[in-house]
Amino acid sequence: MTFHVAVAGCTGYAGGEVLRLLLGHPEVTIGNLTAGSSAGSRLGEHQPHLVPLAEREVLPTTAENLAGHDVVFLALPHGTSGAVAAELGPEVLVVDCGADFRLADPEQWAKYYQSEHAGTWPYGLPELPGAREELATTRRIAVPGCYPTTATLALAPALIHGLVDGRDVVVAAASGSSGAGKGLKPHLLGAELFGSAQAYGVGGVHRHTPELLQNYARLGASEPTVSFTPLLVPMARGILAVVSAPAVPGVTADQVRQAYQDSYAEERFVHLLPEGVWPVSQNVVGSNAVHVNATFDPDAGRVVAIAALDNLCKGTAGGAIQSMNIALGLDEATGLSSIGVAP
């Protein structure tokens, strides 16, 4: 069976990456492509690398234009997916690449997004315990944020195996400029970005903070706390996250290594690197892979984990398609690769 797929928000980075991956997916055909202000133009004006789709007209994002598809991807600005999704029938698989349906707590949504909570959908991170079972029976999927995907998979084995309790987690994560979208912003100009690194969203105000806490609680942390500092660095794609947390008494480096081996031995997209080899963002560019490693720092008494992924692929579009595959009953790796691009 071939599934008919529409993409709303096709002219942005996330929408473009969804389309790039769908073009290599053997079980889908690409239907309507929609957007907001760029409706009426050709897709090639915005995504010239998507040659097979270059002459397609970008349609307005309306329920009528998204109707009649088996799957609809929403790559829309935060706070706008809810209204669109409400007009799509329950038989349609809707995959939201934005934040609208990620959080379970309406108060946390209101605090960080200053709007009405649209609801909560099954979370599109298959590597979390129980996630595949949820995704296999749903027609609504909330794709995780790119930072939470990285920092969650970095620390998950330590939490699952009880090596840390989730309090005083520290996350410092560097991301490329594509994470900010295509909007014209002065700090993303080449003259401002090249040769520089800068922190932003400092002091617990970044919108991915409650998502991290939610994920750590799902992994077994009873009262998680996190200090999350994102960094903008001069690269187009990628995230490198350094995550640490106080270890419970008696933890050893061998236990940490074994926990990560046990957790990720069967995962096709999460790769535990050899001891002493640390993730590099360039090595996962263009792939759905996550590179991870971890150790125990005995002087600080902390487990230290590092993960790298492509924020547009596994961090957004790749994770969305992986989750779509599960919901459609396909092999979850269909149309996805764990092989990066180098140099």
Side-chain angles (χ1 to χ4, degrees):
M1 177 178 179
T2 300
F3 299 94
H4 200 44
V5 181
V7 177
C10 63
T11 58
Y13 286 139
E17 187 73 353
V18 168
L19 288 170
R20 181 182 76 87
L21 296 174
L22 289 176
L23 282 168
H25 196 296
E27 305 294 338
V28 306
T29 59
I30 298 173
N32 285 348
L33 310 179
T34 78
S37 60
S38 53
S41 60
R42 293 182 309 105
L43 184 68
E45 297 174 33
H46 312 278
Q47 311 283 13
H49 62 298
L50 302 179
V51 175
L53 302 173
E55 296 304 316
R56 290 281 198 95
E57 181 184 358
V58 178
L59 304 173
T61 298
T62 65
E64 181 181 7
N65 287 331
L66 296 176
H69 297 83
D70 301 301
V71 183
V72 173
F73 286 90
L74 302 178
L76 304 173
H78 299 321
T80 61
S81 294
V84 177
E87 297 189 74
L88 301 175
E91 75 285 356
V92 181
L93 175 58
V94 183
V95 184
D96 183 23
C97 296
D100 291 33
F101 299 97
R102 294 171 187 164
L103 298 183
D105 187 340
E107 292 184 3
Q108 289 287 77
W109 172 268
K111 176 182 177 180
Y112 283 89
Y113 291 90
Q114 294 81 49
S115 63
E116 185 177 350
H117 188 229
T120 308
W121 290 355
Y123 196 62
L125 187 55
E127 293 82 6
L128 287 181
R132 288 185 171 93
E133 291 76 12
E134 293 179 3
L135 293 170
T137 59
T138 189
R139 280 298 176 265
R140 296 291 187 270
I141 296 171
V143 179
C146 51
Y147 280 126
T149 296
T150 320
T152 298
L153 294 176
L155 197 61
L159 284 165
I160 292 169
H161 288 81
L163 304 182
V164 299
D165 64 13
R167 287 177 288 187
D168 190 25
V169 177
V170 176
V171 178
S175 177
S177 58
S178 61
K182 276 190 173 181
L184 298 178
K185 306 176 182 72
H187 71 288
L188 299 180
L189 294 172
E192 304 289 339
L193 184 65
F194 295 157
S196 181
Q198 55 187 291
Y200 65 100
V202 180
V205 301
H206 193 279
R207 289 175 169 179
H208 286 169
T209 300
E211 193 177 342
L212 284 169
L213 292 170
Q214 180 174 281
N215 289 354
Y216 292 154
R218 177 170 179 166
L219 290 165
S222 58
E223 297 179 352
T225 63
V226 63
S227 174
F228 170 44
T229 304
L231 304 162
L232 176 64
V233 296
M235 59 187 185
R237 289 175 177 247
I239 291 178
L240 182 75
V242 181
V243 185
S244 74
V248 300
V251 167
T252 66
D254 288 342
Q255 287 178 309
V256 173
R257 182 71 186 177
Q258 191 63 52
Y260 279 73
Q261 288 177 333
D262 293 345
S263 293
Y264 291 140
E266 302 301 321
E267 293 294 345
R268 283 182 281 181
F269 293 117
V270 184
H271 302 287
L272 177 63
L273 300 180
E275 289 189 67
V277 178
W278 298 101
V280 175
S281 63
Q282 177 62 49
N283 294 343
V284 294
V285 168
S287 80
N288 201 52
V290 185
H291 288 186
V292 179
N293 215 337
T295 192
F296 174 60
D297 181 343
D299 293 327
R302 300 177 72 89
V303 172
V304 181
I306 300 177
L309 56 71
D310 184 327
N311 59 297
L312 292 180
C313 198
K314 176 60 174 171
T316 307
I321 289 173
Q322 185 182 351
S323 299
M324 176 200 75
N325 287 339
I326 295 171
L328 295 177
L330 304 173
D331 185 295
E332 70 182 77
T334 305
L336 299 171
S337 174
S338 62
I339 309 302
V341 177

